[in-house]
């Protein structure tokens, strides 16, 4: 039985890009061998822009875009959302929170994770 996962990534540094690289290289294997259809539907960064497409974003194209000056600013799926709006509207069922987080308060991660749980993610 195929399980479908739509991911919203908050943060797209080394960890987020590493996940995109894995999905770019191994998505077919994950579908065929593990029955997991995993798609990135949104990526939100604090300074390089936010992109969203409910049908899924091409991980290789995300990696290419973020490597360019301006990041996602010129991406065709660019949208003006902050992290909270991305969690609220991204058509995702999984939150991948990999943004820089304050080690004392655990913010903004804690608030975003709570919001995602409240949405059933």
């Amino acid at each position: 039985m195929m399980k479908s996962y739509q991911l919203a990534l908050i943060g797209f540094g080394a960890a987020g890009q590493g996940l995109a690289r894995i999905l770019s290289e191994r998505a077919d294997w994950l579908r065929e061998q593990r029955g997991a259809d995993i798609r990135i539907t949104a990526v939100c960064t604090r300074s390089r822009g936010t992109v969203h497409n409910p049908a899924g974003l091409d991980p290789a194209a995300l990696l290419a875009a973020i490597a360019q000056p301006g990041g996602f600013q010129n991406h065709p799926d660019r949208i003006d959302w902050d992290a909270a709006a991305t969690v609220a509207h991204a058509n995702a069922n999984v939150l991948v929170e990999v943004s820089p987080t304050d080690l004392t308060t655990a913010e903004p991660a804690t608030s975003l994770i709570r919001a995602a749980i409240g949405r059933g993610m």
Side-chain angles (χ1 to χ4, degrees), residues 16-89:
Q17 289 178 42
L19 176 58
R21 201 167 287 107
I22 289 167
L23 293 176
S24 175
E25 296 170 0
R26 305 290 287 179
D28 291 339
W29 182 86
L30 289 165
R31 267 191 298 279
E32 293 166 11
Q33 299 298 316
R34 299 292 182 221
D37 179 29
I38 304 172
R39 296 172 194 221
I40 298 172
T41 61
V43 178
C44 178
T45 72
R46 181 178 12 209
S47 62
R48 315 258 344 248
T50 300
V51 290
H52 172 255
N53 187 321
L57 297 156
D58 176 14
L62 292 172
L63 293 166
I66 204 70
Q68 299 301 312
F72 298 133
Q73 299 302 327
N74 296 315
H75 193 282
D77 293 307
R78 181 183 175 278
I79 193 158
D80 290 324
W81 286 347
D82 63 8
T86 301
V87 170
H89 304 294

